[in-house]
């Protein structure tokens, strides 16, 4: 790197990811790579039934098998394990059943843990599960949310007397009055199918007692939340928090699935404590489909009221949200988080929202990339398309008539959020230009007029999202148990190198690179002279971890502010060394110089070494320029953008092909364009996957029948189109970097764009919805059903 390149700002440059060389060459430290002296292996016996009473659990035979060290049922660990935590009880009267890490009397979903076997190697432990003797009495499964709420329905938790978990309302304005003024009311039902996260690295945990016999424990886990996990494990196991160290080493993806406190983490810790030896557990892929929490699974009844000119007057949403069998860490909060986003980018007079959480005998749901925001965006963007069709308006034109103008920010939405900045017009205009919207619409009309069997459809998604999960006082009001702050500290080493300690814990986002760029810009040092330390509660003792697109807008800002404090301390030392006033010093590209006397200068590295020696410091100053900062955000972050999708739909086979896709996102100030591009591409893949490919399917007995990669279609690169991506830049006003979140944007925006395009292609045939995923069979059936309806209407007309 040249001297000029070193002096150029690091922020805004596509610096190659510092993490990648180590990762792609296999020099990684995945949890499953760990091999500790004397380590044992744990396997988990899981219920084969969705709902059953455990009549008998006999571990005698398994304990006598060669290689088996121990086996435990729930009763064997009574007193050492409490209920797994839920940190977001969204209402005061929420129904919150106990969630034992090992079932004792009853299993409530296929995959519910029943017993653990500990052996000298992984395969012996897995094989030994076959010797566990369990007698079950089947109980009725509870699978359909609406049926679960009916009188007399079988109960998931009989002792609670209901399958209703909570009712949560939100209102702004008078929706009934707005509806009364409307010329047009459009009502639709959308189904958010259940999704199964598929991180490249399965979940894994290694729990080890300290070799010194000090009753201390180190837990390595493939987790997104080492700090939260440490706290919650202390609560669940009774082990004092200061005696637990949690390490998240290299983590191969999470997408929310590792934002959790899992039974296996608590079990491994307690078993390691009981046996006095390290214990490892790694899930198989098919095991993870049952045991890792699922995402989405909602029924959305959406209604919008508007004038005949297309002005939105109000929106009403009634939501059923499947909790699954238990409340996990933030299960109830996911639909509540989405509640604020159904109005999207649009102005309206009134909004009414009501969510009912429902227990079923399925794997619990929880955070999955976007966590409530993709569901909300899908509903509002789909119903806007339906309103446009009802009014005979172009979908883009309807949106223009209703979105918040760029001159109206800050803007308080009808849901009560204050959007700090945005420019929806600019993002949409750029997207339309890339897409060739008018030409595609003309081609669509021509193909329809010809009666082509392969139809062209165009989907539009203009979105915003709330991310950052802050401020803490807002989270308090939402009954979320934790705060939204984040911590960082910076150490200037005597040699002039820099260590950044962050409370965020990456699992593929590129924090080591981005945080280095932020610190390097403030300190005036080369990016490669900065190391980022993370993911270890002993190394980085303070943190709120990584989820909800919070890392940059909270954690990155903490790094920036800590670096500013380092420069302020260094300025005092530099002024003393040069016998100058602090006010007379300029700091540029890592060098303090006396204004008007550039020959009098000290680099920040020289100041760091002088501070280390402590030989000549200002009176009363500690010999350090290290600094830390804890950020408490003042608002959420609100990225936005416009995504456009063109699909070709074969009406004879139902096959859907994405012909072109354009994404223009506005994520505020961009630190590293290369990383932003990667985040958008990954998000698009997951949003398109929901639209076209992925769905968790249960049979009538509550068995997961899509429980392997052979049955659950995760798209690969050949299944996805080439993406055209671009950005507009409207800086956030709520943080000094002007940054907004990006990690979930692609997922949030893409699903309605793709499904909207499929429906747009088929609308002339009478199709107004295709339930996700839009598989060839579902598309084919939608076309046939629409034709049958037309034929029936024609027959009725003829007979009349």
């Amino acid at each position: 790197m040249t001297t000029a390149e070193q002096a150029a700002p690091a922020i805004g440059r596509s610096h190659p990811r510092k993490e990648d060389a180590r990762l792609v060459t296999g020099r990684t430290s995945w949890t499953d790579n760990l091999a500790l002296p004397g380590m044992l292996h744990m396997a988990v016996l899981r219920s084969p039934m969705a709902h059953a009473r455990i009549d008998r659990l006999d571990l005698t035979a398994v304990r006598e098998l060669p290689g088996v060290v121990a086996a435990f049922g729930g009763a064997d660990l009574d007193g050492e394990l409490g209920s797994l935590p839920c940190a977001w009880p969204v209402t005061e009267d929420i129904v919150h059943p106990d969630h034992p890490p090992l079932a004792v009397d009853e299993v409530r979903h296929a995959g519910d843990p029943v017993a653990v076997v500990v052996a000298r190697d992984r395969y012996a432990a897995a094989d030994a599960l076959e010797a566990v003797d369990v007698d079950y009495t089947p109980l009725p499964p509870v699978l359909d949310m609406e049926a679960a709420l009916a009188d007399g329905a079988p109960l998931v938790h009989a002792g609670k007397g209901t399958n209703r978990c909570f009712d949560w309302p939100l209102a702004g304005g008078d929706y009934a009055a707005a509806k009364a003024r409307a010329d047009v009311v459009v009502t639709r039902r959308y189904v958010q199918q259940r999704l199964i996260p598929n991180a490249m690295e399965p979940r894994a945990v290694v729990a080890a007692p300290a070799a010194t016999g000090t009753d201390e424990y180190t837990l390595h886990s493939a987790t997104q939340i080492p700090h939260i996990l440490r706290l919650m494990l202390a609560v669940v196991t009774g082990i004092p928090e200061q005696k637990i160290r949690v390490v998240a080493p290299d983590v191969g993806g999470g997408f929310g699935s590792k934002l959790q406190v899992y039974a296996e983490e608590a079990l491994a810790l307690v078993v390691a404590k009981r046996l006095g030896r390290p214990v490892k557990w790694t899930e198989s892929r098919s095991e993870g489909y049952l045991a890792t929490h699922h995402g989405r699974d909602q029924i959305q009844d959406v209604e919008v009221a508007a004038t005949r000119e297309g002005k939105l007057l109000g929106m009403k949403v009634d939501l059923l949200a499947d909790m699954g069998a238990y409340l996990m860490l933030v299960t109830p909060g996911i639909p509540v988080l989405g509640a604020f986003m159904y109005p999207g980018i649009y102005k309206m007079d009134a909004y009414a929202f009501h969510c009912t959480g429902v227990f079923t005998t399925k794997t619990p749901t929880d955070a999955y990339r976007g966590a409530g925001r993709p569901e909300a965006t899908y509903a509002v963007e789909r119903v806007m398309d339906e309103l446009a069709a009802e009014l005979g308006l172009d979908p883009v034109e309807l949106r223009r008539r209703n979105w918040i103008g760029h001159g109206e920010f800050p803007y308080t939405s009808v849901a009560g959020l204050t959007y700090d900045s945005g420019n929806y017009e600019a993002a949409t205009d750029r997207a339309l230009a890339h897409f060739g919207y008018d030409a595609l619409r003309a081609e669509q009309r021509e193909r329809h007029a010809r009666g082509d069997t392969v139809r062209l459809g165009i989907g539009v998604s203009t979105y915003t999202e709330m991310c950052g999960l802050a401020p803490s006082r807002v989270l308090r009001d939402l009954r979320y148990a934790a705060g939204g702050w984040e911590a960082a500290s910076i150490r200037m080493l005597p040699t002039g190198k820099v260590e950044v300690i962050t409370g965020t814990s990456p699992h593929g986002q590129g924090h080591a690179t981005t945080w280095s760029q932020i610190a390097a810009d403030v300190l005036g040092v080369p990016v490669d002279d900065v190391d980022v330390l993370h993911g270890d509660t002993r190394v980085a003792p303070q943190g709120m971890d990584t989820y909800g697109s919070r890392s940059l807008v909270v954690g990155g800002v903490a790094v920036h502010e800590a670096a500013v404090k380092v420069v302020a301390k260094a300025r005092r030392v530099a002024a003393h060394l040069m016998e100058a006033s602090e006010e007379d010093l300029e700091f540029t590209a890592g060098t303090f110089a006396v204004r008007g006397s550039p020959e009098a200068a000290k680099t920040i590295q020289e100041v760091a070494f002088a501070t280390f020696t402590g030989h000549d410091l200002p009176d009363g100053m500690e010999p350090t320029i290290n600094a830390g900062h804890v950020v408490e955000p003042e608002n959420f972050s609100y990225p936005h953008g416009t995504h456009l999708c063109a699909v070709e739909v074969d009406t004879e086979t139902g096959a859907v092909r994405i012909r072109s896709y354009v994404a223009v996102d506005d994520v505020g100030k961009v630190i590293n364009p290369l990383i932003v591009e990667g985040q958008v591409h990954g998000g698009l893949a997951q949003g398109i996957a929901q639209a076209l490919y992925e769905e968790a399917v249960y049979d009538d007995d509550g068995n997961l029948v899509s429980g392997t990669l052979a049955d659950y279609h995760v798209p690969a690169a050949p299944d996805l189109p080439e993406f055209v991506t671009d950005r507009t830049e409207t800086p956030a006003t709520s943080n000094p970097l002007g940054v907004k979140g990006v990690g979930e944007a692609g997922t949030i925006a893409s699903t309605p764009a793709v499904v909207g395009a499929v429906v747009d292609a088929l609308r002339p045939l009478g199709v107004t919805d295709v339930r996700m995923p839009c598989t060839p069979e579902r598309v084919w059936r939608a076309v046939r059903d629409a034709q049958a309806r037309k034929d029936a209407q024609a027959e009725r007309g003829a007979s009349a």
Side-chain angles (χ1 to χ4, degrees):
M1 185 179 291
T2 66
T3 302
E5 288 174 327
Q6 289 181 356
I11 289 177
R13 293 167 56 191
S14 290
H15 194 287
R17 283 175 29 127
K18 299 169 70 171
E19 303 92 329
D20 285 352
R22 181 176 56 80
L23 293 172
V24 300
T25 56
R27 293 178 288 120
T28 53
S29 55
W30 311 116
T31 300
D32 191 48
N33 290 352
L34 289 175
L36 303 179
M39 187 169 69
L40 303 173
H41 294 260
M42 185 177 80
V44 180
L45 180 74
R46 301 186 183 280
S47 169
M49 309 179 73
H51 198 194
R53 186 172 62 247
I54 302 173
D55 295 321
R56 186 176 64 91
L57 173 65
D58 189 346
L59 300 170
T60 304
V62 72
R63 287 169 176 154
E64 296 173 355
L65 291 175
V68 172
V69 175
F72 304 98
D76 298 313
L77 299 176
D78 187 39
E80 296 178 67
L81 280 172
S83 178
L84 293 174
C86 174
W88 204 337
V90 294
T91 63
E92 187 174 353
D93 60 350
I94 190 171
V95 175
H96 186 184
D98 285 343
H99 184 184
L102 283 180
V104 178
D105 301 315
E106 197 170 308
V107 292
R108 293 183 171 87
H109 68 90
D112 211 354
V114 174
V116 294
V117 174
V118 186
R120 291 187 175 88
D121 67 69
R122 179 179 181 179
Y123 304 102
D127 291 344
L129 294 178
E130 297 182 8
V132 178
D133 193 3
V134 191
D135 289 339
Y136 298 99
T137 295
L139 297 171
V142 180
L143 303 170
D144 180 271
M145 284 189 281
E146 291 178 304
L149 296 175
D151 291 340
L155 297 177
V156 181
H157 300 274
K160 297 299 182 181
T162 181
N163 290 320
R164 186 182 299 267
C165 177
F166 65 86
D167 286 287
W168 195 92
L170 178 67
D174 186 338
Y175 177 74
K179 182 178 178 180
R181 302 197 317 270
D183 302 311
V184 178
V185 176
V186 174
T187 302
R188 292 291 186 270
R189 166 168 283 200
Y190 300 120
V191 176
Q192 290 282 329
Q193 78 271 36
R194 178 175 282 248
L195 301 178
I196 302 176
N198 279 271
M200 290 188 71
E201 180 202 17
R203 290 192 296 117
V205 58
V206 175
T212 56
T214 55
D215 295 326
E216 296 180 345
Y217 303 88
T218 297
L219 186 106
H220 287 76
S221 180
T223 182
Q224 298 174 218
I225 53 167
H227 298 90
I228 294 173
L229 179 59
R230 180 194 190 204
L231 168 63
M232 292 302 186
L233 286 176
V235 172
V236 172
T237 67
I239 299 172
E241 185 181 358
Q242 73 272 20
K243 300 290 187 180
I244 301 173
R245 175 189 182 188
V246 174
V247 180
D250 292 322
V251 176
F255 316 118
S257 70
K258 295 171 183 174
L259 165 57
Q260 195 54 263
V261 179
Y262 281 107
E264 297 83 6
E265 291 163 323
L267 287 167
L269 182 58
V270 166
V271 169
K273 177 185 177 184
R274 175 78 75 92
L275 300 178
R277 294 173 63 178
V279 172
K280 176 191 280 190
W281 172 82
T282 302
E283 72 178 1
S284 66
R285 185 66 67 178
S286 57
E287 184 181 23
Y289 274 40
L290 293 169
T292 295
H293 73 241
H294 293 175
R296 313 289 192 253
D297 206 347
Q298 298 178 0
I299 298 173
Q300 304 166 310
D301 288 312
V302 185
E303 183 176 279
V304 289
T307 68
R308 62 176 52 88
E309 293 78 25
K311 181 183 184 300
L312 279 175
L313 299 176
M315 169 182 274
K316 181 174 180 286
V317 177
D318 286 305
L319 187 69
L320 291 180
D322 194 336
M323 304 289 97
Y326 302 101
L327 302 183
M328 297 191 76
L329 191 64
V330 291
T331 301
I334 300 306
V336 168
L337 191 61
F340 296 93
M341 295 312 317
Y342 281 86
I345 66 173
Y346 305 113
K347 296 180 287 188
M348 60 188 76
D349 299 331
Y351 171 55
F353 173 90
H354 185 274
C355 176
T356 300
V358 184
F359 289 113
T360 63
T361 53
K362 301 178 188 175
T363 298
T365 58
D366 210 300
Y368 182 61
R369 196 170 192 168
R373 282 76 49 81
E375 298 93 312
T377 300
Y378 181 83
V380 66
E381 289 304 288
R382 287 294 317 282
V383 82
M384 287 294 284
D385 286 345
E386 296 303 307
L387 179 60
E390 183 76 17
L391 295 170
L393 288 172
D394 180 90
V396 175
E397 176 57 28
L398 177 66
R399 287 163 168 82
R400 287 189 191 278
R401 294 183 185 187
N402 287 285
W403 64 37
I404 304 157
H406 70 274
E408 298 179 80
F409 291 94
Y411 184 89
T412 300
S413 79
V414 70
L417 298 178
T418 299
Y419 301 167
D420 65 317
S421 67
N423 192 331
Y424 309 139
E425 303 97 310
T428 302
D429 288 345
R430 187 168 295 185
L432 292 171
H434 283 301
F435 193 62
Y437 185 81
D438 292 340
L440 281 169
R441 284 293 185 200
E443 180 186 343
Q444 182 186 45
R445 289 190 292 270
E446 292 170 6
R447 291 172 68 161
H448 174 58
R450 291 198 306 266
D452 284 3
T453 58
V454 178
R455 298 287 178 138
L456 177 64
I458 298 168
V460 182
S461 177
T462 50
Y463 79 98
T464 188
E465 60 154 322
M466 57 185 287
C467 56
L469 206 59
S472 298
R473 290 180 180 178
V474 172
L475 299 180
R476 171 203 63 194
D477 294 340
L478 293 174
R479 300 182 62 86
Y480 183 61
W485 54 265
E486 192 49 79
S489 59
I490 292 181
R491 295 196 290 248
M492 287 291 302
L493 304 180
T495 55
K497 307 302 182 184
V498 180
E499 289 179 335
V500 172
I501 300 92
T502 175
T504 64
S505 185
H507 43 281
Q509 293 89 343
H511 292 184
T513 304
T514 307
W515 283 204
S516 294
Q517 289 178 264
I518 293 170
D521 250 21
V522 177
L523 300 174
V525 302
V527 172
D528 291 337
D529 281 359
V530 182
D531 277 349
V532 178
L533 308 179
H534 58 78
D536 184 335
T537 59
R538 186 158 293 173
V539 173
Q542 267 192 301
M544 279 303 221
D545 305 317
T546 294
Y547 41 85
S549 299
R550 74 183 301 272
S551 292
L552 177 59
V553 297
V554 190
V557 170
V559 171
H560 174 271
E561 295 298 273
V564 168
K565 288 182 176 180
V566 168
V567 172
K569 287 185 174 183
R571 179 184 298 275
R572 183 181 176 194
V573 177
H576 176 78
L577 293 174
M578 291 186 284
E579 299 181 346
S581 167
E582 290 184 48
E583 291 73 22
D584 290 337
L585 293 189
E586 295 177 334
F587 183 67
T588 307
T591 299
F592 294 97
V594 178
R595 191 176 290 107
S597 303
E599 68 282 357
K602 292 284 184 184
T603 66
I604 196 167
Q605 292 92 336
E606 290 174 316
V607 172
F609 185 78
T611 307
F612 163 72
T613 67
H615 293 168
D616 187 12
L617 296 178
D619 291 342
M621 182 173 182
E622 296 177 336
T624 180
I625 57 172
N626 299 341
H629 190 83
V630 178
V631 163
E632 175 56 65
E634 64 182 60
N635 196 359
F636 293 96
S637 159
Y638 298 100
H640 68 83
T642 297
H643 289 214
L644 301 171
C645 178
V647 301
E648 291 184 329
V649 182
D650 190 324
T651 58
E652 295 183 336
T653 67
V656 176
R657 182 181 76 87
I658 297 180
R659 176 168 141 178
S660 60
Y661 196 102
V662 170
V664 175
D665 296 287
D666 193 318
V667 297
K669 183 71 175 177
V670 171
I671 305 297
N672 188 317
L674 185 67
I675 289 178
V676 167
E677 196 85 354
Q679 288 277 24
V680 170
H681 277 226
L684 292 176
Q686 286 183 276
I688 292 170
Q690 178 173 9
L692 298 180
Y693 300 113
E694 296 187 23
E695 183 177 24
V697 179
Y698 287 83
D699 67 15
D700 291 341
D701 294 321
N703 299 307
L704 182 66
V705 296
S706 57
T708 71
L709 283 168
D711 308 299
Y712 185 92
H713 188 179
V714 178
D719 300 307
L720 299 170
E722 293 288 329
F723 304 125
V724 175
T725 59
D726 199 356
R727 292 182 301 279
T728 55
E729 189 170 297
T730 310
T733 62
S734 56
N735 65 74
L737 287 175
V739 294
K740 303 178 181 182
V742 68
E744 297 160 307
T747 302
I748 289 167
S750 56
T751 307
V754 175
V755 178
V758 172
V759 174
D760 184 63
L762 303 177
R763 194 179 296 279
L765 304 179
V767 175
T768 59
D769 189 31
V770 179
R771 181 172 166 177
M772 296 186 291
C774 299
T775 61
E777 180 184 357
R778 281 187 175 157
V779 172
W780 182 85
R781 289 191 182 279
V783 172
R784 295 303 176 271
D785 290 347
Q787 186 60 51
R789 288 193 299 271
K790 282 188 176 181
D791 292 344
Q793 289 172 356
E795 186 175 339
R796 286 194 298 269
S799 63

